[in-house]
């Protein structure tokens, strides 16, 4: 802090000169200057990012090394109770009278050993092959039927292997905690204080260890229902798990390495159908997310400004009308609107009665369908944005506008110099999340068009992707289609993550509002 | 002319003027008034111009707002109108029914499995909302008020996990739930688990709310001998009514209108559908549309009514939550 302060002090004069020079530039040159500055900033930024990533790994590595050293040192310097605890978890706790913790540690160890002997070891040993013997059909001459005998189940093998690995990591961590506790207990005894009893432990769970109590349920839920499936699906991307090879009722599936990524991204020739479809759908996903986010953002802001304008009466009525449309479940409005614009829907009915020709809003022209989707999304999104913008606009101090008026600023200038910067500053993080939300906006696309119109080029790949399909709807179609290429779906899912993470990192770093969260308290 | 002169002159002018007025006949008086008007105009005109301008602007805004309200409301009015159409069930190019009646509603409840779907959805939404509230409050309160090792790491981990498309996890969850017998016809338990289990990750809005409650309150209670759990349910929870209602409302609305997870878990078994999947199925194919379009409209009306009523009463809390959530991101 101090250094940077000095640096700014030293160059203050210099900076002032630079600022003056900048102000003297023409408008065009100002823009040129800014773009140059932006591009010059990218390289150092990338370097910093790289350093940050390297630093992270360095930190993790050092942390692990430090832990290992600590474990060895504790063993050397510890008393016999501590030393026994290295083999029998919780022994130290039990020997020192903390039976509550000791019993838990010991129980975990016993359960772990039993599990590994009877089940875990078996699953892990099969993880390399994902099973060798598929289901068999055996002819039964007495009843003249075929019965299926199930042997290995690749899905279960993979799932339970991952679970076992989870378990092993958890036990290793607990083992480490167990050693640390011995170390701490020894230090406490040396200092002559009494150890905390089991009753004290329990009480601490609603006091200084309260976070453990509160977080237990939510984190277990996240671990089982988000972390486990994501790790599993990342592994699936390297197998050939599909409807044809589901490892249960038909063929086993097995590891295929990077083949699936190869097929989708096509870095070594071969079938181009997937890479073409992926490129096109990714491009449309990004275009869609951009337009869907910013059209809603600016139009919603405009509506909020209009309703907030002095002299407009019935403010509450206008707002309530828009807000009420939020209440009606989206699937109803989306399905209904999609049918309004159907080939034989109401809109075409009117057009025909007026002597026009029916238009295939969603079924013929890709560009028309895409525009329609964006426009209807505006209809869906404006009420939310109106609400958000209203809340923020009311916080802008009125005297800012008053003084701007006195200085002769017109409405447009007031908007670009006061309203917009303020909004952008505050809603920066929101814009990012809503951009990502729109990239994964399944409902609007799927319920409105179902991906139509058909894209003949892309549909040669699995999933029959159409022109308005996003990556997520394509993913859905792939997994629910007849082929059910789960491996392709998980590759796409991983790539969606990569794109989202990439955009987030960039935007987050260029955002002005990286605020300190404690500021609010 | 000096100031003094002006001041001295003024009353005289007025007097003269009044005298003239009295002496002059009516017609001349009118002229005089008219003349007087134009004299003041230079100052007044600008004022009037501004007024006219703002009035014009306001009228334009009113026109836009009225058109907007129409655009936003018309589809919903249409859906209500079409739900009363008796002469045909298929998609037509007109809106106003030729024959009015409750046929579609009657058929919705007798010929389709709508009652079952509605019940499914209702149970799922209520249970999921309550459990999700507990999950979210636990997570957001802990992250907002308590400081412990690994807090930042936990938040970053959840941020990264949130970047994976949620649908990806459904592929494996479906198989796990299927093995546990919680899919297809018995989708209620499975769907509740799916909605609720990871809901702790949606802590952002309520953490933002807790962040705004002054920490000095906690500290005062701690000094008075309250433990952390007592601080939570004696100090913080009574202050958290808005965020509790907001969380409940959004947690209820989520499953009520969810399509993708419900369709995945129910997987083509109509007993396990929720209203979204059921109603979508009613109009999913051209032959279904022909047979069920107006029935779908009736279903839409019935599904929208409870949530709209609920929303109308709790609108204030929703607005607070949405605006607060965007500001604190």
């Amino acid at each position: 802090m101090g250094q940077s302060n000095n640096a700014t002090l030293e160059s203050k004069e210099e900076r002032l000169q630079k600022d003056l020079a900048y102000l003297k530039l023409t408008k065009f040159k100002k823009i040129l200057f800014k773009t140059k500055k932006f591009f010059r900033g990218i390289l150092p930024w990338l370097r910093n990012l790289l350093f940050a990533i390297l630093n992270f790994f360095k930190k993790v590595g050092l942390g692990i090394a430090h832990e290992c050293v600590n474990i060895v040192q504790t063993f050397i310097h510890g008393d016999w109770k501590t030393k026994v605890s290295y083999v029998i978890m919780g022994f130290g706790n039990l020997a020192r009278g903390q039976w509550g913790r000791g019993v838990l540690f010991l129980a975990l160890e016993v359960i772990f050993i039993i599990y590994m002997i009877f089940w875990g070891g078996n699953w892990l040993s099969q993880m390399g092959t994902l099973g060798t013997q598929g289901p068999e059909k055996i002819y039964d001459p007495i009843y003249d039927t075929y019965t299926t005998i199930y042997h290995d189940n690749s899905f279960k093998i993979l799932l339970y292997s991952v679970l076992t690995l989870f378990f092993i990591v958890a036990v290793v961590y607990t083992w480490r905690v167990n050693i640390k506790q011995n170390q701490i207990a020894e230090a406490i005894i040396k200092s002559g204080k009494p150890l905390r009893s089991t009753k004290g432990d329990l009480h601490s769970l609603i006091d200084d260890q309260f976070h453990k109590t509160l977080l237990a349920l939510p984190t277990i839920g996240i671990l089982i229902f988000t972390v486990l499936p994501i790790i599993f699906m990342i592994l699936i991307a390297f197998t050939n798990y599909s409807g044809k090879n589901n490892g249960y009722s038909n063929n086993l599936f097995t590891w295929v390495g990077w083949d699936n990524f190869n097929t989708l991204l096509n870095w070594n020739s071969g079938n181009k159908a997937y890479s073409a479809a992926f490129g096109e759908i990714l491009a449309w996903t990004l275009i869609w997310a951009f337009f869907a986010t910013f059209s809603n953002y600016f139009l919603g802001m405009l509506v909020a400004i209009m309703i907030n304008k002095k002299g407009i009466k019935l403010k509450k009525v206008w707002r309530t009308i828009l807000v009420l449309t939020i209440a009606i479940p989206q699937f109803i409005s989306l399905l209904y609107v999609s049918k309004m614009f159907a080939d034989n829907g109401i809109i075409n009915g009117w057009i025909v009665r007026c002597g026009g020709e029916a238009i295939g809003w969603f079924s013929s022209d890709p560009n028309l369908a895409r525009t329609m989707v964006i426009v209807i999304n505006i209809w869906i999104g404006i009420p939310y944005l109106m609400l958000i913008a209203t809340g923020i606009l009311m916080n802008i101090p009125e005297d800012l506008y008053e003084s701007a008026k006195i200085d002769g600023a017109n409405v447009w200038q007031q908007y670009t110099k006061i309203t917009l910067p303020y909004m952008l500053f505050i809603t920066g993080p929101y814009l990012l999340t809503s951009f990502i939300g729109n990239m994964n906006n399944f409902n609007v696309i799927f319920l409105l068009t179902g991906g139509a119109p058909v894209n003949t080029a892309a549909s040669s790949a699995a999933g029959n992707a159409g022109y308005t399909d996003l990556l997520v709807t394509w993913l859905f179609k792939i997994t629910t289609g007849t082929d059910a290429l789960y491996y392709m779906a998980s590759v796409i899912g991983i790539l969606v993550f990569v794109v989202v993470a990439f955009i987030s990192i960039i935007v987050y770093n260029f955002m002005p509002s990286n605020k300190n969260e404690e500021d609010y308290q | 002319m000096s100031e003094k002169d002006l001041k001295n002159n003024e009353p005289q002018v007025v007097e003269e003027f009044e005298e003239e007025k009295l002496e002059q006949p009516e017609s001349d008086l009118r002229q005089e008034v008219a003349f007087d008007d134009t004299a003041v105009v230079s100052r007044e005109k600008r004022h009037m111009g501004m007024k006219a301008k703002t009035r014009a602007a306001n009228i334009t805004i009113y026109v836009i707002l009225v058109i907007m309200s129409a655009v936003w409301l018309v589809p919903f009015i249409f859906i209500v109108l079409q739900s009363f159409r008796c002469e045909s069930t298929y998609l037509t190019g007109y809106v106003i029914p030729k024959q009015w009646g409750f046929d579609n509603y009657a058929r919705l409840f007798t010929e389709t499995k709508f009652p079952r779907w509605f019940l499914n959805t209702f149970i799922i939404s209520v249970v999921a909302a309550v459990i999700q509230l507990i999950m979210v409050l636990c997570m957001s309160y802990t992250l907002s008020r308590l400081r412990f090792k690994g807090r930042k790491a936990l938040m970053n981990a959840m941020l990264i996990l949130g970047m994976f498309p949620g649908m990806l996890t459904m592929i494996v969850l479906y198989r796990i739930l299927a093995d546990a017998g919680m899919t297809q016809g018995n989708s209620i338990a499975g769907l509740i688990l799916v909605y609720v289990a990871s809901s702790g990750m949606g802590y952002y809005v309520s953490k933002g709310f807790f962040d705004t409650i002054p920490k000095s309150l906690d500290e005062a209670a701690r000094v008075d001998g309250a433990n952390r759990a007592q601080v939570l349910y004696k100090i913080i929870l009574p202050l958290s009514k808005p965020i509790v209602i907001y969380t409940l409302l959004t947690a209820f609305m989520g499953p009520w209108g969810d399509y993708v997870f419900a369709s995945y878990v129910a997987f083509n078994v109509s007993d396990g559908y929720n209203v979204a999947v059921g109603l979508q199925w009613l109009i999913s194919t051209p032959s279904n549309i022909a047979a069920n379009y107006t029935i779908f409209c009736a279903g839409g009306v019935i599904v929208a009514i409870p949530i709209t009523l609920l929303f109308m009463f709790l609108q204030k809390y929703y607005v607070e939550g949405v605006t607060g959530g965007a500001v604190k991101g």
Side-chain angles (χ1 to χ4, degrees):
Chain A
M1 255 329 253
Q3 266 188 350
S4 66
N5 259 342
N6 276 341
T8 49
L9 276 177
E10 275 164 19
S11 62
K12 206 176 176 184
E13 194 66 28
E14 233 173 275
R15 250 211 217 159
L16 206 69
Q17 290 297 326
K18 272 187 189 167
D19 285 351
L20 279 174
Y22 173 75
L23 285 176
K24 277 177 201 159
L25 293 173
T26 60
K27 206 164 197 180
F28 175 71
K29 280 193 172 170
K30 272 180 189 167
I31 294 170
L32 209 69
F33 177 81
K34 277 196 173 172
T35 17
K36 264 189 197 165
K37 202 179 153 196
F38 175 78
F39 282 112
R40 252 186 243 144
I42 288 180
L43 220 66
W45 177 77
L46 279 176
R47 201 186 56 210
N48 285 343
L49 183 71
L50 195 71
F51 279 143
I53 293 170
L54 286 179
N55 248 338
F56 174 77
F57 283 114
K58 201 173 134 195
K59 227 167 115 188
V60 171
L62 279 179
I64 292 173
H66 183 256
E67 293 283 290
C68 290
V69 170
N70 189 279
I71 289 169
V72 174
Q73 275 178 346
T74 314
F75 188 78
I76 295 168
H77 301 298
D79 59 7
W80 68 276
K81 290 173 192 167
T82 307
K83 279 175 185 160
V84 174
S85 296
Y86 274 68
V87 187
I88 303 172
M89 269 166 47
F91 183 81
N93 297 108
L94 289 170
R96 295 188 186 96
Q98 291 178 301
W99 56 266
R101 295 182 192 195
V103 166
L104 282 182
F105 280 131
L106 198 60
L108 183 71
E109 189 174 357
V110 171
I111 291 172
F112 178 68
I113 289 170
I114 293 173
Y115 173 79
M116 284 309 283
I117 290 172
F118 287 101
W119 299 282
N122 190 24
W123 293 123
L124 279 186
S125 70
Q126 287 180 295
M127 197 181 173
T129 57
L130 296 179
T132 47
Q133 205 179 355
E136 276 183 284
K137 277 192 176 169
I138 291 174
Y139 181 66
D140 189 341
I142 301 167
Y143 298 103
D144 190 30
T145 52
Y146 284 94
T147 46
T148 315
I149 297 177
Y150 299 102
H151 297 287
D152 292 337
N153 179 346
S154 306
F155 188 91
K156 271 196 174 161
I157 292 172
L158 188 56
L159 182 64
Y160 284 103
S161 302
V162 173
L163 268 176
T164 311
L165 289 177
F166 261 51
F167 198 21
I168 292 175
V169 170
V171 168
V172 168
Y173 177 77
T174 324
W175 179 74
R176 170 73 192 119
V177 172
N178 146 61
I179 290 167
K180 188 108 196 166
Q181 289 208 346
N182 276 297
Q183 191 192 359
I184 293 168
E186 273 187 54
I188 291 175
I189 289 170
K190 240 178 224 165
S191 68
K193 283 179 200 157
L195 282 178
R196 198 154 69 180
S197 65
T198 304
K199 208 178 154 192
D201 280 343
L202 286 177
H203 184 76
S204 76
L205 281 179
I206 57 165
D207 203 4
D208 58 306
Q209 301 292 313
F210 193 36
H211 60 271
K212 287 182 184 162
T213 321
L214 289 180
L215 288 182
L217 198 60
T219 38
I220 288 173
I222 292 171
L223 273 178
I224 296 176
F225 278 76
T226 303
V227 178
L228 173 73
I230 285 177
I231 290 177
F232 185 87
M233 287 317 292
I234 290 174
L235 292 175
I236 285 293
F238 298 93
T239 69
N240 59 353
Y241 172 43
S242 68
K244 279 182 197 154
N245 307 315
N246 66 13
Y248 178 66
S249 57
N250 47 35
N251 303 325
L252 298 174
F253 60 88
T254 187
W255 301 105
V256 295
W258 291 90
D259 281 7
N260 303 325
F261 288 87
N262 232 330
T263 315
L264 192 69
L265 299 176
N266 195 34
W267 63 59
N268 306 323
S269 64
N271 179 10
K272 301 233 183 218
Y274 277 101
S275 53
F278 178 72
E280 192 167 339
I281 297 173
L282 175 65
W284 160 240
T285 305
L286 292 175
I287 292 169
W288 148 262
F290 178 82
F291 279 108
T293 308
F294 288 99
S295 61
N296 276 350
Y297 187 72
F298 286 106
L299 290 175
M301 205 188 332
L302 185 71
V303 173
I305 290 172
M306 287 198 304
I307 295 179
N308 275 11
K309 189 175 179 294
K310 258 189 213 159
I312 296 294
K313 279 169 194 156
L314 301 172
K315 285 184 177 14
K316 254 202 162 156
V317 175
W318 306 120
R319 242 172 250 157
T320 312
I321 289 174
L322 287 182
V323 170
L324 272 187
T325 60
I326 297 178
I328 292 155
Q330 247 183 36
F331 78 92
I332 295 174
S333 31
L334 285 171
L335 283 174
Y336 188 77
V337 171
S338 87
K339 292 295 168 265
M340 270 176 77
F341 287 95
D343 289 349
N344 52 347
I346 296 166
I347 304 287
N348 274 340
W350 287 341
I351 292 175
V352 168
R353 236 169 298 145
C354 295
E357 232 176 90
I359 301 169
W361 297 100
F362 295 130
S363 57
S364 56
D365 183 8
N367 290 329
L368 178 65
R370 289 175 170 184
T371 317
M372 283 302 293
V373 171
I374 291 173
V375 170
I376 292 172
N377 185 62
I378 292 173
W379 181 74
I380 297 280
I382 275 188
Y384 292 96
L385 263 302
M386 187 272 303
L387 276 185
I388 291 167
T390 306
I392 296 166
L393 290 176
M394 283 181 174
N395 286 338
I396 303 181
E398 192 59 32
D399 41 335
L400 271 181
Y401 290 107
E402 292 296 330
S403 44
K405 259 183 226 163
I406 290 167
D407 288 345
N410 60 30
V411 178
W412 177 247
Q413 282 168 329
Q414 287 172 31
Y415 175 74
T416 52
K417 301 287 178 196
I418 302 174
T419 317
L420 194 59
Y422 190 85
M423 280 287 292
L424 282 176
F425 179 78
I426 293 210
T427 55
Y430 171 80
L431 269 179
L432 178 61
T433 46
S434 81
F435 184 88
I436 291 166
N438 275 323
M439 273 186 69
N440 293 327
N441 200 336
F442 179 88
N443 271 359
V444 169
I445 300 294
F446 190 80
L447 296 178
L448 215 48
T449 67
V454 178
N455 183 347
T456 41
S459 59
S460 57
N464 267 329
Y467 279 105
T468 52
D469 261 323
L470 302 178
L471 285 173
V472 274
T473 54
W474 190 32
L475 193 158
F476 180 82
K477 284 180 166 181
I478 286 179
T479 60
T480 52
T482 45
D483 290 339
L485 302 178
Y486 300 115
Y487 57 87
M488 265 313 170
S490 55
V491 173
I492 294 168
I494 291 170
L495 292 175
V496 169
F497 166 76
V498 171
V499 172
V500 167
F502 184 73
I503 292 173
S504 311
I505 290 175
I506 288 181
V507 175
Y508 194 73
N509 274 279
F510 284 108
M511 216 144 55
S513 47
N514 281 335
K515 299 162 281 189
N516 186 358
E517 58 167 337
E518 307 261 344
D519 285 353
Y520 289 104
Q521 294 182 359
Chain B
M1 239 199 276
S2 71
E3 253 187 62
K4 249 188 184 173
D5 287 345
L6 250 175
K7 270 184 187 169
N8 288 339
N9 274 349
E10 253 175 11
Q12 280 179 347
V13 171
V14 172
E15 271 168 35
E16 276 172 19
F17 183 70
E18 277 174 353
E19 276 167 29
E20 271 174 22
K21 236 203 255 174
L22 284 173
E23 284 166 20
Q24 269 169 359
E26 261 190 28
S27 58
D28 283 9
L29 186 73
R30 254 185 229 144
Q31 257 185 355
E32 190 63 36
V33 170
F35 178 72
D36 195 40
D37 253 7
T38 49
V40 191
V41 146
S42 53
R43 208 185 302 137
E44 199 89 314
K45 202 176 192 176
R46 220 174 293 143
H47 193 62
M48 289 290 286
M50 284 280 278
K51 246 187 181 171
K53 222 175 163 188
T54 50
R55 188 179 290 164
N58 281 356
I59 289 171
T60 333
I61 289 178
Y62 278 128
V63 171
I64 295 175
L65 286 177
V66 167
I67 294 172
M68 262 183 54
S69 305
V71 169
W72 257 261
L73 287 182
V74 151
F76 300 115
I77 296 169
F78 282 8
I79 199 172
V80 174
L81 288 175
Q82 291 191 321
S83 74
F84 288 113
R85 189 176 74 203
C86 290
E87 73 269 17
S88 55
T89 54
Y90 49 85
L91 191 56
T92 51
Y94 62 90
V95 178
I96 296 163
K98 290 173 181 150
Q99 229 182 318
W100 294 70
F102 285 93
D103 286 15
N104 295 314
Y105 292 91
R107 292 181 56 197
L108 181 70
F109 280 94
T110 52
E111 288 174 26
T112 70
K113 286 189 173 162
F114 185 78
R116 173 74 192 253
W117 302 336
F118 196 87
L119 190 69
N120 282 352
T121 317
F122 186 76
I123 295 171
I124 292 169
S125 299
V126 170
V127 177
V130 173
I131 304 179
Q132 192 169 329
L133 172 72
I134 296 168
M135 295 283 225
V136 169
L137 283 187
C138 282
M139 185 62 95
S140 53
Y141 174 80
T142 315
L143 293 178
S144 166
R145 314 301 276 194
L146 307 177
R147 293 292 178 270
F148 51 93
K149 210 179 142 196
R151 174 176 166 274
K152 261 271 144 72
L154 181 67
M155 283 165 72
N156 287 337
M158 284 194 283
L159 187 72
I160 292 169
L161 285 177
M163 290 176 188
F164 283 95
M167 211 180 309
L168 193 61
T169 62
M170 276 316 294
I171 299 167
V172 50
L173 284 182
Y174 176 75
R175 284 302 302 269
I176 295 175
L177 292 174
D179 281 351
M182 291 194 281
T183 53
Q184 305 201 323
N186 307 315
S187 65
I188 293 180
L191 268 176
I192 290 174
L193 268 180
V194 169
Y195 293 133
V196 151
S198 301
S199 57
M201 283 167 67
Y203 65 87
Y204 296 96
V205 174
S206 58
K207 177 180 175 289
F209 177 84
F210 286 132
D211 282 348
T212 58
I213 299 178
K215 262 198 163 167
S216 52
L217 278 178
D218 302 31
E219 278 149 20
R222 297 272 294 156
V223 169
D224 288 346
N227 62 37
R228 290 224 161 83
Q230 283 167 333
V231 172
L232 171 59
Y233 70 84
K234 283 194 176 150
I235 310 282
I236 304 294
L237 275 188
L239 291 173
S240 313
K241 193 179 151 202
I243 205 66
V244 167
I245 293 176
Y246 170 78
T247 312
L248 272 179
L249 186 64
T250 46
F252 183 82
M253 283 168 73
W256 192 263
D258 174 62
Y259 174 81
V260 58
F261 291 121
S263 77
Y264 228 110
V265 173
F267 209 74
N268 294 337
V269 174
S270 59
D271 274 346
Y273 285 176
N274 71 355
V275 281
V277 182
L279 292 181
Q280 198 268 345
W281 175 79
L282 280 182
I283 54 168
S284 58
T285 61
S287 63
N288 278 4
I289 296 178
N292 299 323
Y293 179 69
T294 50
I295 299 176
F296 158 79
C297 292
V301 172
I302 290 190
V303 171
I305 284 173
I307 201 91
T308 311
L309 284 177
L310 195 68
F311 201 83
M312 267 162 78
F313 288 115
L314 304 175
Q315 190 191 341
K316 191 182 107 201
Y317 300 101
Y318 183 82
V319 174
E320 270 175 29
V322 166
T323 46
V327 173
K328 274 144 222 139

